[in-house]
Structures are given as structure tokens and as C-alpha cells.
Amino acid sequence: MAIQDRLSGNEAVSIAMKQINPDVMPAFPITPSTEIPQYVSQFIANGEMDTVFIPVESEHSAMSACIGSQSAGGRTVTATSSCGLALMFEMLYVAASNRLPITMAVVNRALSGPININNDHSDSMGARDSGWLQIYAENAQEAYDNFFQCMRIGEHPAVQLPVMCCQDGFITSHAVERMELIETEKVKAFMGEYKPEHYLLNPDETLAVGPYDIPQYYMEHKKAQAVAMENAREAIMEVAKEFEAMTGRKYGMIEEYRMEDAELAMIIIGSSAGTAKEACDELRAAGVKAGVIKVRVFRPFPAEEIVAALKGVKAVAIMDKTESFSANGGPMGAEVKAAMFGKLNDVLVTNYIYGIGGRDVKVDDLKSVYDKLAEMVKTGKAPEHYQYLALRD
Amino acid sequence: MKKLTEIRWHGRGGQGAKTASLLLADVAFSTGMYIQGFPEYGPERMGAPITAYNRLSDEPLRVHSNIYEPDYVAVVDETLLDAVNVTAGLKPEGAIVINTAKEPEEILPKLNGYKGKVYTLDAKKVSLATIGKNIPNTPMLAAVVRASGVMDEQLFLDNMQASFKHKFATKPEVVEGNMKALSMALEEVKVYDGSK
């Protein structure tokens, strides 16, 4: 029997880490990191897990230590947030190019400045091209469920890449919600033992990790990394299927909500996807054919899935919880439009920046987006520029 | 029971409004409900006005926003009545619960013409008499359960006993005082029904 509990997103992910009992957790033990290292170090102090916890002096060091322990052959996790992730930036690329399946809990919060501690996606979206997989959660349940899957996907022999397991700062990380935990024996069976193909502490195989790569080989190594990211699509679905068999909870690259006959669609990531479903239901009750596409996996990008889900849609709003300062919209706006190009040329598209720096995202705000979509369909025109949602005058 | 109950807590940093919202979520969970308990985060300073929220429902919850049209409002610190618009969006068929030594009628002029029920509780008196310290959130929790009717009061007390035993596992001597605070609060809470 699954265990009912009421937990914050941070507690839920910490319990996932406890159940996995990885070999090593290097982490910066204070702000801007999360409560997660605090909870895990408590579990370790209580003798509930025997992970080696390495308290480091910076997030740059946290990621460096992760790279060290995962190269040595140890299953390694860490957690971070906001400017903490930004300080890891240099080492994120090293972890990915060395094909080290580190699993990192990211609690999405704004990057300074102006100084702000609240939720948006500017931290992980800034690291979207670092070679890490990125999987986002709508609520504490998904943050917990995703963490197991993230590790399995990263460790998949055809992938071997690090994974960010993202959830929305404060909105889910600090809110207590009812959720279901999986029995630890089942978790252990699902996770299995980590057996890396190559690792530094293998006495039978000498190995160099992270040497200089000359121009004659660099591109081939980058291509191999890109192939691994492509392979991740299949691994994600394979792991999701196994996870569903264990828990009954179904996951994919995206989640489609009332999209079967939808004419107006919203593409959104994270906790606001739940709010969007509520907005969608209210509009459906009023006869509006609204639908929601929740992007669960951002890296690799679910281009094909989104295009397939948009068939029959007349207008779509792409929602970005970060500003990319391209002066042309947000990162998801750019990715979705690129995916649609040449395939869905008749769909009217608009891109919104919303909820940045912790601006509350209300059901009514998201309903106003559908109103805008309806207006676009009526006039046959999409706005020329990207929009800011619920901006003060 | 109504499908969804939304509650907004007003307190000052350090008074336990956030803890109260988490405790209410906890006890509602133990009666089988779907719950959310969350504070609004800002620059956290002792004494600064803070807001916390609860959604309680028989069905899974998926909206992740603050609450703008609460069914119930709890004011843990009376001085907030002069600083914050505590009745903003409050539904007239709901109620407001205020920690004050004053009678509900005396508080009315500060409630911006609110037409619903007004509950008052001297949570300071109750907590000093039972816990020995001014910890207003425990008695306020009981008053909110009375006002909202979100769960049976006996069920609430039974579940809180278990919850306190768990919460205060390292100092079991405080469980009795906290339980007394809850039952005394249920006796002391006063109500004014403006609709009558």
C-alpha cells in the first residue's frame, strides 16, 4: 500500500533521496541552497541513511565534488537554487561533457537582480544549454516521483547525462500538500544498483576524466553528447512506463489536458500548469474549447509531442516564467515556434512572460490569456511582439 | 461539507501564523482531506505582517496561487486591523476570526463594513492560562475550526492530540497544555452574526 503523507516539495525530494540512499551528496549547506541538504543531513545524523554528505564552501565546489564522486563511480545527488545554480555554471558543462549522471534537485527561484528570492525559471532556463536534462514538476508529488525517474534516466546506458529535477521555489518547495509516498523496498527495486561502465575507482581499467580535447575530436565528442540527449527521449518513456507499472502514475514528455478538441491552447511549465487546468475547466464550462499542454521535459525538448498535441488548435499561448532578453520572447517561445515552423503555419501564436520574481499567477490571469487567444482567432491576427502578463501600469 | 474551503491567515513574523496554517493542514489531512498550507514569502522579519493560506478540500487541489477571496480569515494579531485590509475579498457567507480581548461588537468598526460572522478569542489569555506563554496560534487554530466548521470538533481534538504528541516528541510535557489551550479556546470563542 502506498503511504499517504502531507509534505512540502523540499521534504518530498529529501525523502526520495533518503529512500535512494545514494553514495554521496555534496552540497552547500546554507542559502541560496534549499532546505533539502538540511533535511538529508538530518537523516544521515539520525542514522536513517549512510550517504556521505560533503558540506562545501560554495556551489561551484558542490558541483566540482559531484563531478569527482560520480567519476569515481559513486551515485551522486545534490540540490540547489537560484544564484547557487548560477555559481555552478562552469562545472555544469564539465559534468555533462564527462557524461556523469548526477541527479540535482533544482528549486527554481529568480536570479538577482534586483534582489529577489521568489519563484521563476530564470535559474534553470539560464542553464538550459549546459547539456543537462531538465524535468519540471507541477506539485510535490511530481517533484518526488520525478526524482527517482530523473536518476534512472540519467544512468540509462544510452544516456549517461546529468539531470536537473526542477520544482517551483516556495510555491511547491515550501507548501505542504497531500501526496503519496512509495514503499522503500519498491523504490530500491526500481532504482537498482548503480553500475557505471567506466569509473575512476576501477582497478582493472585506468581512466582519465576531463582532459583537454583537441579540435580534431572536440566536435565528435559534442556530437556524442547530443546523441545521448536524443537517446534520452526513449529512456524517459521507458522509465515512465516502469514507474507507472509501480505506482499507477503516468508520466511523459508533455501532459495534455483537454486537448482532444481544443481550439485555444496554452503551453506552460511547472506549478502554474495546475492553475491553468483550473482556468481551462472554468472556460470549458462556459463553452470555450480550451486546453493545456504542460511541458514536463524541457531538455531534451519535446518538439514532436508539442506539434502533435497542437493539431487542430487555432491559437496558442506559449508561457515563459523567465525573460531571456532576446527582445524576441522567452526561451520556450523560441523553442515552440521553431518546432512549429513548416508544420503548423496556420496556428496563431503568442508568447507571454508571466510570474517572474514570484508575481502570483492567478486563475483569472490565465483566463485572460485564453480571452486574448479567442480575440486572436476572431481577428485572425496575432500580436506582433511578445507580451507581459498581468503587468502593472 | 463544501467542496473547497479557503482560509487566509494574517499574523506578524514570529507569532506562528505560518505554523498555524501548517497545523491546520496537518489535522485536516489526518481526517482524509486534500490540503495545501503555505505562507507568502517576502523579506522575513520578526514583527512584520505576514500572510499564510490554507486550501482544504475533498478533492485533489491543483491551483497554485495565493487566495484572494477566502471563505475565512484569521487575524492572529489585533494590531493588524489598523495596518492591513484583513477583510479584502472575504466572502460575506464566511467569517473572520480575531485574536482580541475585545467583544466582537467593539471590533466591527475596524472591519470595513464586513457583513459576515465575526468571531473573537482572547488567545493571549487562553495560552497564558494553559501553556504559560503567549502562543496565540494554538488557541486560534481551535477558533478557526469552530468558525469554519471544516471538521468535527471532537475529531479535531482527537487528531490534534496525536499531532502534538508527534510534534513535541522530545518534550511531551507540553502536549497537555496545548490540548487544554484548544478546548479552552472552543469554550471562550465568541461570535457576532452581522446578518441577523
Short mmCIF file of all heavy atoms in Angstrom, two decimals, chain A residues 257 259 263-268 275-281 283 288-293 315 317 352 363-376:
data_model
loop_
_atom_site.label_atom_id
_atom_site.label_comp_id
_atom_site.label_asym_id
_atom_site.label_seq_id
_atom_site.Cartn_x
_atom_site.Cartn_y
_atom_site.Cartn_z
N TYR A 257 -3.89 18.26 -21.43
CA TYR A 257 -5.10 18.38 -20.62
C TYR A 257 -6.23 18.99 -21.46
O TYR A 257 -6.12 20.13 -21.91
CB TYR A 257 -4.83 19.24 -19.38
CG TYR A 257 -6.01 19.30 -18.44
CD1 TYR A 257 -6.32 18.22 -17.60
CD2 TYR A 257 -6.84 20.41 -18.41
CE1 TYR A 257 -7.41 18.26 -16.75
CE2 TYR A 257 -7.94 20.46 -17.56
CZ TYR A 257 -8.21 19.38 -16.73
OH TYR A 257 -9.30 19.42 -15.89
N MET A 259 -7.02 18.48 -24.48
CA MET A 259 -6.52 18.93 -25.79
C MET A 259 -7.24 18.25 -26.96
O MET A 259 -7.06 18.67 -28.10
CB MET A 259 -5.02 18.68 -25.89
CG MET A 259 -4.14 19.65 -25.11
SD MET A 259 -4.36 21.36 -25.64
CE MET A 259 -3.84 21.28 -27.35
N GLU A 263 -9.33 24.28 -29.25
CA GLU A 263 -9.03 25.28 -30.28
C GLU A 263 -8.07 26.34 -29.77
O GLU A 263 -7.34 26.96 -30.51
CB GLU A 263 -10.35 25.93 -30.76
CG GLU A 263 -11.22 24.93 -31.53
CD GLU A 263 -12.56 25.51 -31.92
OE1 GLU A 263 -12.88 26.65 -31.55
OE2 GLU A 263 -13.31 24.79 -32.61
N LEU A 264 -8.12 26.57 -28.44
CA LEU A 264 -7.24 27.55 -27.81
C LEU A 264 -6.35 26.79 -26.82
O LEU A 264 -6.85 26.13 -25.92
CB LEU A 264 -8.05 28.61 -27.04
CG LEU A 264 -9.23 29.24 -27.79
CD1 LEU A 264 -9.95 30.24 -26.88
CD2 LEU A 264 -8.78 29.92 -29.08
N ALA A 265 -5.05 26.88 -27.01
CA ALA A 265 -4.15 26.09 -26.15
C ALA A 265 -3.14 26.97 -25.45
O ALA A 265 -2.73 28.02 -25.96
CB ALA A 265 -3.42 25.04 -27.00
N MET A 266 -2.75 26.52 -24.25
CA MET A 266 -1.70 27.20 -23.50
C MET A 266 -0.59 26.19 -23.23
O MET A 266 -0.87 25.07 -22.82
CB MET A 266 -2.28 27.71 -22.18
CG MET A 266 -1.28 28.43 -21.32
SD MET A 266 -1.99 28.94 -19.74
CE MET A 266 -3.25 30.07 -20.27
N ILE A 267 0.65 26.60 -23.48
CA ILE A 267 1.79 25.73 -23.20
C ILE A 267 2.51 26.30 -22.00
O ILE A 267 2.93 27.47 -22.00
CB ILE A 267 2.73 25.64 -24.41
CG1 ILE A 267 1.94 25.15 -25.64
CG2 ILE A 267 3.90 24.70 -24.12
CD1 ILE A 267 2.78 24.99 -26.89
N ILE A 268 2.65 25.52 -20.95
CA ILE A 268 3.12 26.05 -19.67
C ILE A 268 3.91 24.99 -18.91
O ILE A 268 3.72 23.79 -19.13
CB ILE A 268 1.90 26.60 -18.87
CG1 ILE A 268 2.34 27.48 -17.72
CG2 ILE A 268 0.97 25.48 -18.42
CD1 ILE A 268 1.21 28.41 -17.23
N THR A 275 -2.82 25.57 -12.10
CA THR A 275 -3.69 26.75 -12.13
C THR A 275 -4.32 26.89 -13.53
O THR A 275 -5.50 27.24 -13.66
CB THR A 275 -2.88 28.00 -11.75
OG1 THR A 275 -2.14 27.71 -10.56
CG2 THR A 275 -3.77 29.19 -11.51
N ALA A 276 -3.52 26.58 -14.56
CA ALA A 276 -4.02 26.65 -15.94
C ALA A 276 -5.14 25.63 -16.17
O ALA A 276 -6.11 25.91 -16.89
CB ALA A 276 -2.87 26.41 -16.92
N LYS A 277 -5.02 24.44 -15.57
CA LYS A 277 -6.07 23.42 -15.73
C LYS A 277 -7.38 23.92 -15.14
O LYS A 277 -8.46 23.68 -15.69
CB LYS A 277 -5.64 22.12 -15.04
CG LYS A 277 -4.50 21.38 -15.76
CD LYS A 277 -4.02 20.21 -14.92
CE LYS A 277 -2.73 19.63 -15.46
NZ LYS A 277 -2.13 18.64 -14.53
N GLU A 278 -7.29 24.61 -13.99
CA GLU A 278 -8.48 25.17 -13.36
C GLU A 278 -9.10 26.23 -14.30
O GLU A 278 -10.31 26.24 -14.53
CB GLU A 278 -8.11 25.79 -12.02
CG GLU A 278 -9.27 26.39 -11.25
CD GLU A 278 -10.21 25.36 -10.66
OE1 GLU A 278 -9.76 24.20 -10.46
OE2 GLU A 278 -11.38 25.71 -10.41
N ALA A 279 -8.25 27.12 -14.83
CA ALA A 279 -8.74 28.16 -15.76
C ALA A 279 -9.40 27.50 -16.96
O ALA A 279 -10.48 27.92 -17.42
CB ALA A 279 -7.58 29.04 -16.21
N CYS A 280 -8.77 26.46 -17.46
CA CYS A 280 -9.27 25.72 -18.62
C CYS A 280 -10.65 25.13 -18.32
O CYS A 280 -11.58 25.25 -19.12
CB CYS A 280 -8.25 24.63 -18.96
SG CYS A 280 -8.77 23.50 -20.23
N ASP A 281 -10.81 24.52 -17.15
CA ASP A 281 -12.10 23.91 -16.77
C ASP A 281 -13.20 24.96 -16.69
O ASP A 281 -14.33 24.73 -17.13
CB ASP A 281 -11.99 23.21 -15.41
CG ASP A 281 -11.36 21.82 -15.56
OD1 ASP A 281 -11.04 21.44 -16.69
OD2 ASP A 281 -11.21 21.13 -14.53
N LEU A 283 -13.36 27.74 -18.31
CA LEU A 283 -13.71 28.18 -19.66
C LEU A 283 -14.47 27.10 -20.42
O LEU A 283 -15.40 27.41 -21.17
CB LEU A 283 -12.44 28.57 -20.42
CG LEU A 283 -11.80 29.86 -19.90
CD1 LEU A 283 -10.39 30.02 -20.44
CD2 LEU A 283 -12.66 31.07 -20.27
N VAL A 288 -16.04 27.34 -23.98
CA VAL A 288 -14.82 27.66 -24.73
C VAL A 288 -13.98 26.39 -24.86
O VAL A 288 -13.75 25.68 -23.88
CB VAL A 288 -14.00 28.75 -23.98
CG1 VAL A 288 -12.71 29.06 -24.73
CG2 VAL A 288 -14.83 30.00 -23.77
N LYS A 289 -13.50 26.13 -26.07
CA LYS A 289 -12.70 24.91 -26.29
C LYS A 289 -11.23 25.16 -25.94
O LYS A 289 -10.38 25.35 -26.82
CB LYS A 289 -12.87 24.43 -27.72
CG LYS A 289 -14.25 23.83 -27.96
CD LYS A 289 -14.32 23.13 -29.29
CE LYS A 289 -15.64 22.37 -29.43
NZ LYS A 289 -15.80 21.82 -30.77
N ALA A 290 -10.98 25.19 -24.62
CA ALA A 290 -9.63 25.48 -24.13
C ALA A 290 -8.90 24.19 -23.79
O ALA A 290 -9.53 23.17 -23.49
CB ALA A 290 -9.72 26.37 -22.89
N GLY A 291 -7.57 24.24 -23.84
CA GLY A 291 -6.75 23.08 -23.46
C GLY A 291 -5.40 23.54 -22.93
O GLY A 291 -5.02 24.70 -23.12
N VAL A 292 -4.74 22.63 -22.24
CA VAL A 292 -3.42 22.95 -21.66
C VAL A 292 -2.41 21.89 -22.09
O VAL A 292 -2.72 20.70 -22.08
CB VAL A 292 -3.47 22.95 -20.11
CG1 VAL A 292 -2.10 23.27 -19.52
CG2 VAL A 292 -4.52 23.93 -19.59
N ILE A 293 -1.23 22.34 -22.50
CA ILE A 293 -0.11 21.42 -22.70
C ILE A 293 0.93 21.75 -21.64
O ILE A 293 1.48 22.84 -21.62
CB ILE A 293 0.51 21.58 -24.11
CG1 ILE A 293 -0.54 21.25 -25.18
CG2 ILE A 293 1.75 20.68 -24.26
CD1 ILE A 293 -0.07 21.56 -26.61
N ALA A 315 -5.28 28.80 -31.98
CA ALA A 315 -4.35 29.79 -31.41
C ALA A 315 -3.69 29.22 -30.16
O ALA A 315 -4.33 28.50 -29.40
CB ALA A 315 -5.09 31.08 -31.06
N ALA A 317 -0.90 30.05 -26.80
CA ALA A 317 -0.10 30.98 -25.99
C ALA A 317 1.03 30.19 -25.35
O ALA A 317 0.79 29.18 -24.69
CB ALA A 317 -0.97 31.61 -24.91
N TYR A 352 4.03 34.78 -23.87
CA TYR A 352 3.91 35.61 -22.68
C TYR A 352 5.07 35.39 -21.71
O TYR A 352 5.50 34.26 -21.53
CB TYR A 352 2.64 35.25 -21.90
CG TYR A 352 1.36 35.86 -22.43
CD1 TYR A 352 0.58 35.18 -23.36
CD2 TYR A 352 0.93 37.08 -21.96
CE1 TYR A 352 -0.62 35.72 -23.82
CE2 TYR A 352 -0.27 37.64 -22.41
CZ TYR A 352 -1.03 36.95 -23.33
OH TYR A 352 -2.21 37.48 -23.79
N VAL A 363 -5.81 32.24 -11.36
CA VAL A 363 -6.68 31.61 -12.35
C VAL A 363 -7.16 32.67 -13.35
O VAL A 363 -7.15 32.46 -14.56
CB VAL A 363 -7.88 30.92 -11.66
CG1 VAL A 363 -8.86 30.39 -12.69
CG2 VAL A 363 -7.40 29.77 -10.77
N ASP A 364 -7.57 33.83 -12.82
CA ASP A 364 -8.09 34.89 -13.70
C ASP A 364 -7.03 35.41 -14.69
O ASP A 364 -7.36 35.77 -15.82
CB ASP A 364 -8.63 36.06 -12.86
CG ASP A 364 -9.99 35.73 -12.27
OD1 ASP A 364 -10.59 34.70 -12.69
OD2 ASP A 364 -10.46 36.48 -11.39
N ASP A 365 -5.77 35.46 -14.23
CA ASP A 365 -4.70 35.89 -15.14
C ASP A 365 -4.64 34.96 -16.35
O ASP A 365 -4.52 35.39 -17.50
CB ASP A 365 -3.33 35.85 -14.43
CG ASP A 365 -3.23 36.83 -13.28
OD1 ASP A 365 -3.91 37.86 -13.33
OD2 ASP A 365 -2.47 36.55 -12.34
N LEU A 366 -4.69 33.66 -16.05
CA LEU A 366 -4.55 32.69 -17.13
C LEU A 366 -5.80 32.65 -18.00
O LEU A 366 -5.73 32.40 -19.21
CB LEU A 366 -4.19 31.31 -16.57
CG LEU A 366 -2.83 31.28 -15.83
CD1 LEU A 366 -2.52 29.89 -15.31
CD2 LEU A 366 -1.69 31.77 -16.73
N LYS A 367 -6.97 32.92 -17.37
CA LYS A 367 -8.19 33.02 -18.19
C LYS A 367 -8.08 34.19 -19.17
O LYS A 367 -8.56 34.11 -20.30
CB LYS A 367 -9.42 33.19 -17.28
CG LYS A 367 -9.91 31.87 -16.72
CD LYS A 367 -10.88 32.07 -15.59
CE LYS A 367 -12.30 32.31 -16.07
NZ LYS A 367 -13.22 32.38 -14.90
N SER A 368 -7.42 35.26 -18.74
CA SER A 368 -7.27 36.42 -19.63
C SER A 368 -6.40 36.07 -20.85
O SER A 368 -6.55 36.66 -21.92
CB SER A 368 -6.70 37.63 -18.88
OG SER A 368 -5.30 37.49 -18.72
N VAL A 369 -5.50 35.11 -20.67
CA VAL A 369 -4.68 34.65 -21.80
C VAL A 369 -5.57 33.95 -22.84
O VAL A 369 -5.45 34.19 -24.04
CB VAL A 369 -3.56 33.70 -21.32
CG1 VAL A 369 -2.83 33.06 -22.50
CG2 VAL A 369 -2.58 34.45 -20.42
N TYR A 370 -6.50 33.12 -22.35
CA TYR A 370 -7.43 32.46 -23.28
C TYR A 370 -8.33 33.49 -23.96
O TYR A 370 -8.69 33.33 -25.13
CB TYR A 370 -8.28 31.41 -22.54
CG TYR A 370 -7.53 30.15 -22.18
CD1 TYR A 370 -7.16 29.87 -20.88
CD2 TYR A 370 -7.20 29.21 -23.17
CE1 TYR A 370 -6.49 28.70 -20.55
CE2 TYR A 370 -6.53 28.04 -22.86
CZ TYR A 370 -6.18 27.79 -21.54
OH TYR A 370 -5.52 26.63 -21.23
N ASP A 371 -8.71 34.55 -23.21
CA ASP A 371 -9.52 35.62 -23.82
C ASP A 371 -8.75 36.23 -24.99
O ASP A 371 -9.31 36.51 -26.05
CB ASP A 371 -9.82 36.72 -22.79
CG ASP A 371 -10.79 36.24 -21.71
OD1 ASP A 371 -11.43 35.17 -21.92
OD2 ASP A 371 -10.91 36.90 -20.66
N LYS A 372 -7.46 36.43 -24.76
CA LYS A 372 -6.61 37.02 -25.82
C LYS A 372 -6.56 36.07 -27.03
O LYS A 372 -6.63 36.52 -28.18
CB LYS A 372 -5.21 37.24 -25.24
CG LYS A 372 -4.23 37.86 -26.20
CD LYS A 372 -4.54 39.33 -26.44
CE LYS A 372 -3.77 39.87 -27.62
NZ LYS A 372 -4.21 41.23 -27.97
N LEU A 373 -6.45 34.77 -26.74
CA LEU A 373 -6.40 33.79 -27.83
C LEU A 373 -7.70 33.83 -28.65
O LEU A 373 -7.68 33.76 -29.88
CB LEU A 373 -6.16 32.37 -27.28
CG LEU A 373 -4.78 32.11 -26.66
CD1 LEU A 373 -4.72 30.70 -26.07
CD2 LEU A 373 -3.67 32.29 -27.70
N ALA A 374 -8.82 33.93 -27.92
CA ALA A 374 -10.13 33.97 -28.60
C ALA A 374 -10.20 35.21 -29.51
O ALA A 374 -10.70 35.14 -30.64
CB ALA A 374 -11.24 33.99 -27.57
N GLU A 375 -9.66 36.32 -29.00
CA GLU A 375 -9.65 37.56 -29.78
C GLU A 375 -8.77 37.40 -31.03
O GLU A 375 -9.11 37.86 -32.13
CB GLU A 375 -9.13 38.68 -28.88
CG GLU A 375 -9.17 40.07 -29.50
CD GLU A 375 -8.26 41.03 -28.74
OE1 GLU A 375 -8.37 41.10 -27.49
OE2 GLU A 375 -7.42 41.68 -29.39
N MET A 376 -7.64 36.71 -30.86
CA MET A 376 -6.74 36.47 -32.00
C MET A 376 -7.45 35.67 -33.09
O MET A 376 -7.31 35.95 -34.29
CB MET A 376 -5.47 35.73 -31.53
CG MET A 376 -4.45 36.61 -30.85
SD MET A 376 -3.28 35.70 -29.78
CE MET A 376 -2.61 34.47 -30.87
#
